[in-house]
Each structure stands twice: as C-alpha cells, then as structure tokens.
Amino acid sequence: MLPTSQKRKSPSNIKFIFLMILIGLNLRPALSSLAPLLPRIENEGTLSVLTLSLLTALPVLCLGLFAPLAPWLTRQLGIERSLTIGLIILSAGLALRGIASIFTLYLGTLMLGSAIGIIGTLLPALVKRELTGSADIITGVYTMALCLGGALGAAFSIPIANLLNSWSLSLFSWSCLALTALIAWWWIMPQPAAEPQFSPHKRQARALLNHPLAWQVMLLMGSQSSLAYIVFGWLPTLLVRQGYSESEAGWLMSISILVQAISAIAAPWFARISKDQRPALLVVFIFIGVGLVMLLLGPTSLRWPGSILLGLGQGGSFSLALTLIVLRSGDAKIAGDLSALAQGGGYTIAAIGPLIVGLMIDANIGIYKITWVLFAILGFATYMALLAGQQRRLEFNQQGQLVTIK
C-alpha cells in the first residue's frame, strides 16, 4: 500500500480525455511533418535518397525497439512518470531535429521515435485502467487525435517552411506543441511512484509468447503500420514524381490523414455491431486497397477520392489494431504487456516497409511495382485480421496461468 502522499488520485474523466487528445496530437506530426519536406531536402543535394530512406525507417524502427522498455519503466517509476519522461524526450528530439545538420537530424529522429514508442505503449494500459468500461471507445478518440496530429504535420509543414524560409525551422516548430502537452500532463495528472499491483511482470510478458492470439495481434499491428508509415514517409515523394507539386502532394497526404479521424472514432463503434471485429477490419482494408489504386494508379481526377478512401481505411485499421490490444486483454496488466509486444514487435516489422520503398525509389523502380509491394503487405494484414479479429481474450485462470478464452 502506498503512503498517503503517494496515493494516486485520478483526474476527472473530462480532464483525462483532454490529456489523451493532447498527447495524441503530438505523436504523429513528428513523423508526418518530414515527408512533405523530403523532395525539398533531396533537391538541395544535402542528403541522398538512400540517406532519406534510412531517415524515414529510423523512427518506425525506434517505435518497435523502445516499446518493450515501457513495462520496465512502469515497474521502476510508475506509468505517469514514465509517460512524463517520454514527453520530455519527444520535446527534446523535435527540437534537435530542427537543427540543420545530419547528426542532429538523426539524433532527434532517434529520440522522438523512442519517445513515441514508449508513450504509445503506455497509453492503452492507462486507458484500460482509468476508463475500463469505455476503453475501446476512448481508444478511438485517442486514435482520432493521432490522425488529426498527423494531418496537421502534413498540411502545415510546407507553409511553415515557406513562412520561415527554412525546412529545419519548420521541423523545429513542432517542439512547441510537445512542450504544451508536457506542461498539461505534469499540471493535471498526478505523478505517483510505481504501483506494484499494476506494474507488469516479466514472467507474464514472456507467457504471451506462447499464445498465437498475441502473435496475431502483433503481426496485424506491424503489417497495417507498415502501410501507414510508407504513406507517412513516401507518399508525397511518389506523388511529386508523378507530376504533382510539393504543395498539392502535401495536401493530398494531409487530407488522407485528416479523414482518418472520422474512421478512427467510428471504427470501434462499428466493430461493436458484430461479436468479433473481422467485418470491420475487412471493410477498412478494402478501403485501403481501393484508395491505393485510385491514388497511385488511377487518373488524376480520382486523386482526391482516392486520398479520402485511403485515409478512411488507414484510420480505421490503426484504431481497430489498437482497440484489439484492449479487447484481447482481460485486465490492465495484460493490456500493458500485450501493448508492449504488439507495438514493440509490430513496429520493428513495420520499419522494413518504408526502407524497402525508399530503396525502390532510389533504384527508380516504377510506381506499378511499388504498388504491388503495398498490396502484398495489405494481403498479409488482411489474413492477420481474420485471425486476430475473432472474439477471444487473454486472461489469467485461477491457477495464475495465462490462457486464451472465447
């Protein structure tokens, strides 16, 4: 039992949801704000396409490598303080990335990727603890904020760069939003010490590896995230090479990310109609496939509908993938461990996608072959969705063993 001075007193539901939205707004501009600037950076000749490919893959890889650190930090510091550290690292990484040098660009990207990996892993368990009965819906609200943040990064990256006459200052400006979230989190959310009864245990985390359901959730997260980060990293570059201007390519990406907010909040509601989430997952993956064809292979007249369909599909798929972490977990402890596994392993796998597409662009491989790669990833994600979307969950039985129940 914690001393009275260290007892956790949760904020009101409204304040907590406000914090989830504010934090969510910060976890995607770090990724989406760079993509519209890549053609400009490439044209300056400072960085090669290969170097930029590694730069787009690095944050996604960091999401995967640092996500498993979140349960360890929770055991040592508590979930609130761990999230505070994540926000500090995110703010510092965004500021460093805005200094125009290769070293600081990579160091800042490394820091922000690691911070997002930690923060994104902690939030599903925190939501499960604070708002258990509405965890899936609140996850949708949080995902909606992620999408809005991504849209802001894509839409305003070029205008800010034009206003400040510097792509590096454009990147630096997003640290202000992260600092705002840090101050609000520290001001509103109590910062108690670690709670042993909540903190995940290593033995429980390892037990997940023996359950196919945990692997299915992880592979679904990884494959759908790979598509998302290919869009974040390379969609504007692909569109510019097809003849669109930097500005229009940025707006196409921005609209695609903006409409993700609609499906991100709607998908969990739609998923409740059925006993499992497979119908909802199939719908959003069909949207992604049709959107990719219209945007990348269709006539220019279909570019805006294609962008919208792609966004609706990707917003829904990401929201449902996060929701599955909550729905497939019997309690907050399991949710924390499953979140670390799904996002840690999933994002590590997802990093391969942007790197492959970057190498294909560097080798001047045509848009048709790149689109086929995207559809191969989409097909695998659909297969994982059919497995992970079934109504099951992981729970501890009376003997303390982790089991899968229907």
Side-chain angles (χ1 to χ4, degrees):
M1 186 139 180
L2 293 173
T4 302
S5 61
Q6 292 187 1
K7 285 184 178 179
R8 181 185 62 81
K9 185 178 180 181
S10 298
S12 66
N13 288 349
I14 293 177
K15 288 182 179 180
F16 180 75
I17 294 171
F18 166 75
L19 287 175
M20 292 300 97
I21 292 173
L22 185 57
I23 292 172
L25 285 173
N26 276 277
L27 300 188
R28 287 300 175 267
L31 306 171
S32 63
S33 60
L34 177 62
L37 296 170
L38 288 179
R40 183 173 300 192
I41 299 172
E42 181 186 352
N43 289 336
E44 286 185 1
T46 305
L47 299 176
S48 66
V49 176
L50 177 59
T51 304
L52 294 175
S53 300
L54 296 174
L55 193 62
T56 58
L58 179 61
V60 188
L61 180 61
C62 289
L63 293 181
L65 294 179
F66 285 89
L69 184 63
W72 179 84
L73 280 174
T74 302
R75 289 194 299 269
Q76 303 301 315
L77 304 173
I79 194 168
E80 291 88 353
R81 292 181 179 178
S82 299
L83 207 145
T84 299
I85 290 175
L87 288 171
I88 292 172
I89 297 173
L90 176 62
S91 302
L94 287 167
L96 275 176
R97 194 178 63 162
I99 301 174
S101 77
I102 295 178
F103 174 74
T104 54
L105 188 60
Y106 271 90
L107 179 60
T109 301
L110 173 66
M111 292 175 65
L112 64 88
S114 62
I116 295 172
I118 293 171
I119 295 170
T121 303
L122 293 173
L123 288 179
L126 185 62
V127 170
K128 184 79 172 179
R129 186 190 73 184
E130 296 291 325
L131 298 170
T132 302
S134 305
D136 54 342
I137 302 303
I138 301 305
T139 300
V141 173
Y142 156 70
T143 310
M144 177 192 68
L146 286 178
C147 300
L148 288 174
L152 290 175
F156 291 102
S157 184
I158 292 294
I160 293 175
N162 292 337
L163 178 65
L164 301 177
N165 197 30
S166 169
W167 59 262
S168 59
L169 290 178
S170 176
L171 294 176
F172 179 87
S173 65
W174 297 103
S175 62
C176 299
L177 184 61
L179 283 172
T180 302
L182 171 61
I183 293 170
W185 175 260
W186 185 264
W187 185 266
I188 296 175
M189 198 73 180
Q191 303 288 310
E195 299 177 66
Q197 70 271 24
F198 173 73
S199 301
H201 298 289
K202 292 181 180 179
R203 185 176 300 176
Q204 296 170 2
R206 292 195 192 101
L208 285 172
L209 299 176
N210 297 322
H211 291 268
L213 176 58
W215 285 91
Q216 292 158 10
V217 172
M218 181 193 72
L219 292 173
L220 172 61
M221 173 64 74
S223 52
Q224 68 85 29
S225 294
S226 185
L227 285 172
Y229 290 114
I230 289 170
V231 170
F232 276 135
W234 291 115
L235 181 61
T237 299
L238 291 172
L239 294 175
V240 167
R241 293 196 173 194
Q242 288 179 268
Y244 296 99
S245 67
E246 282 183 0
S247 179
E248 186 171 17
W251 277 108
L252 282 166
M253 177 177 168
S254 176
I255 292 299
S256 180
I257 299 174
L258 181 62
V259 298
Q260 288 183 16
I262 300 172
S263 53
I265 192 67
W269 287 96
F270 180 50
R272 283 188 170 190
I273 297 175
S274 175
K275 290 183 178 180
D276 61 40
Q277 288 70 51
R278 285 176 292 182
L281 285 162
L282 287 176
V283 169
V284 297
F285 283 135
I286 289 172
F287 281 2
I288 292 174
V290 175
L292 285 172
V293 171
M294 293 172 67
L295 187 58
L296 297 179
L297 302 180
T300 57
S301 59
L302 295 179
R303 65 191 185 280
W304 293 107
S307 177
I308 291 171
L309 279 177
L310 177 62
L312 289 173
Q314 291 197 307
S317 67
F318 182 65
S319 179
L320 288 170
L322 282 179
T323 300
L324 285 183
I325 294 175
V326 176
L327 295 180
R328 299 296 173 262
S329 304
D331 57 34
K333 296 178 184 178
I334 298 173
D337 286 333
L338 184 58
S339 180
L341 175 65
Q343 298 195 62
Y347 287 137
T348 302
I349 295 170
I352 300 173
L355 180 59
I356 289 176
V357 171
L359 294 175
M360 294 178 74
I361 292 173
D362 188 39
N364 290 319
I365 294 177
I367 190 66
Y368 285 96
K369 291 184 179 179
I370 291 177
T371 303
W372 275 112
V373 170
L374 299 182
F375 267 89
I377 299 172
L378 179 61
F380 180 78
T382 303
Y383 177 63
M384 285 298 107
L386 293 175
L387 298 175
Q390 300 177 61
Q391 186 61 43
R392 296 168 293 163
R393 70 179 182 274
L394 295 159
E395 285 194 358
F396 291 108
N397 61 18
Q398 294 181 347
Q399 291 73 40
Q401 299 172 322
L402 189 65
V403 296
T404 301
I405 64 172
K406 295 184 178 180

